[in-house]
């Protein structure tokens, strides 16, 4: 195997690991966090103390402070995939007379994705300051369960508006806080949630499109070679009909980088597709990731009040106003005046 092939294998492993960490990054007691803590306790008995301290500082710097590392990794992953797609898949597909618009579609999606990425990473997510605090506190009502009136942020020294949260990465309170995304190196809040949703949507579409074109190319190669109707001699010297496993092995030996890239983008499509569906669900129900995670601790009820101490606290989403209005709110945040009219 050449260097690029080994590099693509490594990227597949890195993406699968980092994607899980990124998805769970906003949850203090996530499964991944608990697993890492448990593993750290076991390793602490065999790893020297000095090495532990260095590792802890590195991990804290990586996962608990703002860093451009994941932005660089994001760009490197896209460059690796698009480099392989351009130099091999595009050329082969052009020779097989694929439609030009289909071959150019990944580049069009890339342009849209980079635009959404820049807007999402550079936009103000909804930083709460003393100058805008009075206006923002009027936009959403306190539900009495997830968001209580009178709670003061000890860092910002301001009362927290409903649906807000202090981000330890950015060291600020964010209006309608969703989560801190390491891939864009910014919080996702009221003012850039639309850009993040479009960024995620175009990223999923990019991976799915490249996977579809690449898979179609490999299928075309198989059909043109009439390989499915052929046979081969196995290790025992017996003649056997071509099977799927043999076919995949043959394609891997013939187009190693293309097959690795296909496996990579299929994995990416599945991970991003699932996360995209989850975010679409949050958008249509007018929830944030932070609210969804916190609400798992409570049951559901058609009546929402501050429950007596001897009764179980329940939660109902009071911010949902129907699919259309919820979708509209993502792209046009309501003002305090508009909230009063409802």
């Amino acid at each position: 195997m050449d260097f690029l092939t080994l590099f693509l294998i490594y990227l597949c492993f890195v993406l699968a690991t980092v994607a899980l960490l990124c998805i769970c990054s906003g949850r203090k007691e996530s499964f991944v966090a608990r697993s890492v803590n448990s593993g750290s306790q076991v390793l602490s008995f065999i790893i020297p103390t000095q090495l532990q301290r260095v590792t802890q500082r590195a991990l804290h710097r990586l996962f608990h402070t703002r860093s451009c590392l994941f932005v660089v990794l994001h760009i490197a992953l896209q460059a690796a995939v698009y480099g392989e797609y351009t130099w091999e898949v595009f050329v082969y597909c052009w020779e097989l007379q694929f439609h030009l618009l289909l071959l150019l579609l990944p580049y069009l999606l890339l342009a849209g994705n980079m635009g959404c990425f820049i807007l999402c990473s550079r936009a103000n997510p909804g930083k709460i300051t003393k100058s805008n605090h009075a206006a923002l506190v009027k936009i959403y009502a306190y539900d009495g369960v997830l968001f209580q009136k009178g709670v003061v942020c000890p860092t910002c020294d301001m009362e927290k508006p409903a649906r807000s949260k202090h981000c330890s990465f950015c060291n600020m309170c964010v209006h309608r806080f969703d989560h801190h995304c390491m891939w864009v190196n910014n919080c996702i809040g009221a003012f850039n949630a639309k850009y993040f949703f479009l960024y995620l949507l175009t990223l999923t579409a990019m991976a799915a499109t490249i996977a579809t074109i690449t898979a179609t190319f490999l299928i075309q190669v198989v059909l043109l070679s009439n390989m499915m109707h052929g046979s081969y001699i196995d290790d025992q010297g017996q003649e056997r009909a071509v099977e799927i496993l043999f076919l995949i092995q043959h394609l891997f030996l013939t187009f190693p980088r293309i097959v690795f890239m296909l496996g990579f983008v299929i994995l990416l499509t599945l991970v991003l597709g699932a996360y995209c569906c989850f975010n679409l669900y949050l958008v249509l129900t007018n929830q944030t990731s932070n609210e969804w995670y916190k609400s798992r601790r409570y049951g559901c009820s058609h009546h929402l009040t501050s429950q007596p101490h001897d009764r179980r606290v329940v939660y109902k989403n009071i911010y949902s106003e129907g699919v259309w209005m919820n979708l509209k709110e993502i792209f046009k945040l309501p003002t305090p005046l508009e909230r009063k009219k409802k």
Side-chain angles (χ1 to χ4, degrees):
M1 292 185 189
D2 57 17
F3 174 77
L4 182 57
T5 300
L6 293 173
F7 180 66
L8 288 174
I9 297 175
Y10 173 73
L11 288 181
C12 289
F13 171 76
V14 168
L15 178 70
T17 304
V18 173
L20 288 173
L21 289 172
C22 184
I23 291 173
C24 300
S25 62
R27 305 169 188 176
K28 293 182 179 179
E29 296 298 331
S30 65
F31 171 77
V32 174
R34 291 195 300 268
S35 300
V36 171
N37 290 334
S38 300
S40 300
Q41 292 176 359
V42 174
L43 293 176
S44 63
F45 294 104
I46 57 177
I47 297 178
T49 304
Q50 189 64 27
L51 183 58
Q52 290 183 40
R53 292 174 181 172
V54 173
T55 304
Q56 288 173 356
R57 285 197 294 267
L59 291 176
H60 182 271
R61 175 68 179 172
L62 186 61
F63 293 108
H64 295 281
T65 59
R66 295 192 68 179
S67 171
C68 292
L69 178 62
F70 286 94
V71 176
V72 174
L73 178 60
H74 169 274
I75 296 173
L77 290 172
Q78 284 192 336
V81 170
Y82 271 86
E84 180 60 27
Y85 174 79
T86 302
W87 292 325
E88 291 203 82
V89 177
F90 187 95
V91 175
Y92 287 136
C93 290
W94 179 253
E95 292 177 355
L96 292 175
Q97 298 182 339
F98 277 54
H99 199 285
L100 180 60
L101 183 59
L102 176 63
L103 297 179
L104 293 178
L105 182 57
Y107 299 105
L108 298 177
L109 291 171
L110 176 63
N113 178 258
M114 291 305 297
C116 295
F117 169 78
I118 293 172
L119 289 172
C120 186
S121 60
R122 302 296 295 176
N124 172 18
K127 181 179 180 180
I128 301 174
T129 62
K130 294 186 182 299
S131 60
N132 65 13
H133 177 269
L136 295 180
V137 79
K138 298 176 183 178
I139 293 181
Y140 294 112
Y142 293 93
D143 62 13
V145 178
L146 300 184
F147 306 104
Q148 304 281 351
K149 186 176 178 58
V151 177
V152 176
C153 175
T155 304
C156 300
D157 194 27
M158 290 184 294
E159 181 183 3
K160 290 184 178 181
R163 310 191 77 180
S164 68
K165 185 179 185 296
H166 185 86
C167 176
S168 58
F169 291 85
C170 302
N171 194 30
M172 64 182 182
C173 284
V174 178
H175 182 49
R176 199 183 183 277
F177 177 86
D178 191 280
H179 70 289
H180 181 92
C181 181
M182 294 183 291
W183 293 107
V184 300
N185 196 27
N186 198 6
C187 282
I188 308 303
F191 300 154
N192 66 346
K194 53 181 177 291
Y195 302 133
F196 178 75
F197 181 69
L198 293 175
Y199 160 76
L200 189 61
L201 195 64
T202 53
L203 192 62
T204 306
M206 284 166 48
T209 302
I210 292 178
T212 301
I213 294 173
T214 305
T216 303
F217 158 68
L218 293 176
I219 292 173
Q220 282 284 82
V221 170
V222 172
L223 294 177
L224 291 175
S225 65
N226 203 28
M227 192 181 305
M228 290 299 296
H229 301 287
S231 60
Y232 69 98
I233 305 299
D234 64 11
D235 295 337
Q236 286 74 35
Q238 298 180 352
E239 185 176 0
R240 295 181 177 274
V242 171
E243 302 169 346
I244 296 297
L245 186 61
F246 175 83
L247 191 62
I248 295 175
Q249 183 180 10
H250 175 76
L251 290 174
F252 169 74
L253 294 174
T254 308
F255 308 104
R257 290 188 295 270
I258 293 179
V259 173
F260 269 118
M261 187 196 73
L262 178 59
F264 177 79
V265 292
I266 287 177
L267 173 64
L268 189 62
T269 302
L270 294 175
V271 173
L272 289 175
Y275 191 49
C276 193
C277 290
F278 173 66
N279 273 267
L280 179 60
Y281 163 75
L282 294 179
V283 168
L284 296 180
T285 56
N286 203 338
Q287 297 183 78
T288 65
S289 298
N290 179 54
E291 293 165 2
W292 179 86
Y293 177 68
K294 287 183 176 179
S295 67
R296 299 306 95 188
R297 288 181 265 172
Y298 306 102
C300 297
S301 172
H302 296 288
H303 180 65
L304 177 65
T305 58
S306 297
Q307 303 293 326
H309 293 292
D310 58 342
R311 296 180 59 187
R312 184 172 180 267
V313 176
V314 295
Y315 169 75
K316 178 176 173 58
N317 180 16
I318 66 172
Y319 305 113
S320 179
E321 298 177 348
V323 171
W324 172 247
M325 294 302 297
N326 293 340
L327 188 62
K328 183 180 177 181
E329 184 172 313
I330 291 294
F331 294 92
K332 184 180 181 298
L333 188 69
T335 62
L337 182 60
E338 290 173 333
R339 277 288 171 184
K340 288 181 180 180
K341 291 180 179 180
K342 294 181 181 179

